[in-house]
């Protein structure tokens, strides 16, 4: 009996690579379960990441995205729609979405398209409309168990999904599509969905009410249109409406009251995108952390001091240096947070 007990002790401790005293054996299973898993809760502050940060990586599948997250040392994320929806069986696009985005962006900026580009864009937009209808039909019968499988796969690797950002919350999406996005978020374990602020009061009212019906919070993200009162109307429309604040864009917009905004709205901030941008006077650049004007250490310490519950979400938007990749750069951002919160 003693030999068997000794064998079990050595096997359990050896599997975890831990040299623990025998009196710790009771806690060994829990230790083994968490061994070699990421932990990005740093001194009371949950550091997360939006998986958009890994857009330059070659594989955008749910499995590959999980590897990028774990390799970055992250234990919580805001998940973009594509990895989860492709895992769940969403039809793949039959056209070049990136090319559509590039030409469309050129047009929106007022740049002149060549005759060939104009014709190409028109054809791509036609294909995009057809694909949108195909995806809407798929979403109408999508199996939520697939999203639960994604949740389990990520959880088993030590990663929780606190937010979900599929392209289902636009003015052209039906109530059924919106409900699908919220149900998928719930299946993934998310506390809220995120989207770009529509700048339309009737849409934030609609989404807030659908959030109430589906028991899901809605976090609105902003760019340089963010101001101290930017979210006020949405917040009054529904208790489920809240902020997906972007601290970097807030600084680039020329605002000087970011700390005051967080102190006022902390209970309605569901998550905060964190990046280092410059003020308008300095050029509005998106820079490597610690070289811009966003007071990231002060923001993290504010969350820590006041024990705010929302995560600080790393969003990698500065140019990845030659010889590096998105995972390595996100690792640097995580390390920056560790030093700031030491």
């Amino acid at each position: 009996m003693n030999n068997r007990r000794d064998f079990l002790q050595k096997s359990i401790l050896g599997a975890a690579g831990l040299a623990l005293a025998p009196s710790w054996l009771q806690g060994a299973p829990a230790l083994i379960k968490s061994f070699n898993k990421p932990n990005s809760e740093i001194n009371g502050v949950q550091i997360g990441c939006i998986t958009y940060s890994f857009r330059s990586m070659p594989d955008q599948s749910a499995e590959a995205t999980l590897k990028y997250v774990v390799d970055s040392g992250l234990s919580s994320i805001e998940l973009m729609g594509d990895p989860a929806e492709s895992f769940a069986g969403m039809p793949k696009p039959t056209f070049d979405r990136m090319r559509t985005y590039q030409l469309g962006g050129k047009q929106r900026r007022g740049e002149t398209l060549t005759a060939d580009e104009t014709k190409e864009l028109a054809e791509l937009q036609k294909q995009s409309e057809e694909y949108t209808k195909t995806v809407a039909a798929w979403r109408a019968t999508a199996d939520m168990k697939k999203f639960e499988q994604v949740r389990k796969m990520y959880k088993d690797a030590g990663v929780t999904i606190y937010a979900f950002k599929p392209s289902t919350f636009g003015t052209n999406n039906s109530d059924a599509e919106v409900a699908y996005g919220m149900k998928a978020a719930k299946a993934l374990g998310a506390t809220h969905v995120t989207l770009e602020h529509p700048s339309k009061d009737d849409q934030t009212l609609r989404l807030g009410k659908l959030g109430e019906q589906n028991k899901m919070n809605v976090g609105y993200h902003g760019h340089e249109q963010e101001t101290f009162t930017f979210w006020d109307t949405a917040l009054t429309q529904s208790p489920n409406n809240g902020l997906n604040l972007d601290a970097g864009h807030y600084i680039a917009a020329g605002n000087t009251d970011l700390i005051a905004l967080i102190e006022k709205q902390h209970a309605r901030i569901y998550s905060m995108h964190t990046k280092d941008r410059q003020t308008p006077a300095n050029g509005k650049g998106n820079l490597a952390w610690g070289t811009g004007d966003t007071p990231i250490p002060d923001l993290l310490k504010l969350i820590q001091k006041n024990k705010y519950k929302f995560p600080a979400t790393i969003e990698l938007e500065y140019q990845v240096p030659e010889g590096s990749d998105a995972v390595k750069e996100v690792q640097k951002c995580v390390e920056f947070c560790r030093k700031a919160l030491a």
Side-chain angles (χ1 to χ4, degrees):
M1 180 66 72
N2 287 339
N3 290 338
R4 182 172 181 271
R5 184 176 62 231
D6 291 343
F7 172 76
L8 288 172
Q9 288 181 348
K10 290 176 182 178
S11 297
I12 292 171
L13 297 177
L18 301 172
L20 299 177
S23 61
W24 289 39
L25 184 58
Q26 188 174 357
L31 289 167
I32 292 171
K33 191 174 181 180
S34 63
F35 178 68
N36 208 29
K37 290 183 179 180
N39 182 6
S40 56
E41 182 174 330
I42 305 171
N43 293 329
V45 180
Q46 184 61 64
I47 304 299
C49 179
I50 181 170
T51 58
Y52 171 76
S53 299
F54 304 113
R55 63 196 176 280
S56 61
M57 300 300 286
D59 187 346
Q60 297 296 306
S61 67
E63 295 88 347
T65 298
L66 176 57
K67 187 177 188 308
Y68 305 148
V69 170
V70 172
D71 287 350
S72 297
L74 292 158
S75 56
S76 62
I77 57 168
E78 175 183 350
L79 183 65
M80 294 295 289
D82 280 357
E85 290 187 298
S86 62
F87 182 92
M90 184 174 75
K92 295 181 180 180
T94 56
F95 65 101
D96 190 340
R97 287 197 291 180
M98 182 56 68
R99 181 62 174 167
T100 308
Y101 177 80
Q102 291 171 342
L103 290 176
K106 189 175 180 180
Q107 187 180 64
R108 287 189 296 274
R109 291 191 297 271
E111 299 177 25
T112 302
L113 298 179
T114 66
D116 286 342
E117 287 177 332
T118 300
K119 183 178 179 180
E120 181 185 4
L121 178 59
E123 180 58 30
L124 286 169
Q125 289 175 333
K126 182 180 178 180
Q127 293 178 44
S128 178
E129 290 174 5
E130 290 302 315
Y131 177 66
T132 297
K133 294 176 183 178
T134 300
V135 169
W138 173 81
R139 286 169 172 163
T141 59
D143 185 358
M144 290 297 121
K145 290 182 180 178
K146 287 291 186 179
F147 293 96
E148 292 173 1
Q149 289 174 20
V150 173
R151 175 183 183 174
K152 184 179 186 304
M153 176 170 62
Y154 278 55
K155 184 178 179 181
D156 288 347
V159 178
T160 59
I161 300 167
Y162 57 78
F164 186 44
K165 190 173 187 176
S167 58
T168 59
F169 306 121
T171 54
N172 294 327
N173 292 111
S174 66
D175 285 0
E177 284 185 276
V178 172
Y180 150 84
M182 293 180 175
K183 290 175 182 176
K186 188 175 295 184
L188 290 166
T191 64
H192 61 288
V193 297
T194 58
L195 69 147
E196 306 304 312
H197 195 297
S199 297
K200 294 182 179 180
D201 294 346
D202 57 344
Q203 180 66 357
T204 53
L205 174 62
R206 174 187 174 225
L207 293 176
K209 294 305 178 183
L210 286 169
E212 292 174 35
Q213 292 174 24
N214 291 281
K215 298 180 180 179
M216 180 56 59
N217 292 322
V218 185
Y220 298 96
H221 181 263
H223 290 261
E224 291 179 29
Q225 80 272 43
E226 291 180 335
T227 65
F228 195 84
T229 59
F230 178 63
W231 293 270
D232 283 3
T233 298
L235 296 183
T236 61
Q237 290 173 330
S238 170
N240 288 59
N241 282 339
L243 285 69
N244 174 226
L245 171 65
D246 192 301
H249 292 326
Y250 199 84
I251 293 298
N255 299 298
T256 59
D257 51 6
L258 178 56
I259 297 294
L261 172 68
I262 294 172
E263 289 176 334
K264 178 183 179 182
Q265 302 290 11
H266 65 89
R268 302 293 291 275
I269 297 175
Y270 298 141
S271 51
M272 180 184 74
H273 282 195
T274 310
K275 59 172 69 79
D276 206 347
R277 290 197 65 182
Q278 295 172 307
T279 62
N282 291 331
K284 295 187 177 183
N286 209 319
L287 307 179
W289 287 27
T291 61
D293 296 317
T294 308
I296 297 176
D298 292 341
L299 300 180
L300 297 177
K301 290 173 183 174
L302 179 70
I303 296 171
Q304 182 185 52
K305 176 184 176 183
N306 294 316
K307 298 182 180 179
Y308 294 150
K309 300 301 182 183
F310 61 85
T313 305
I314 295 168
E315 183 174 28
L316 184 68
E317 286 204 310
Y318 65 81
Q319 186 172 352
V320 175
E322 187 175 349
S324 186
D325 62 30
V327 172
K328 293 176 182 176
E329 296 307 308
V330 172
Q331 288 173 347
K332 293 177 184 177
C333 295
V334 174
E335 184 59 25
F336 184 97
C337 295
R338 290 194 187 281
K339 290 180 179 179
L341 291 165

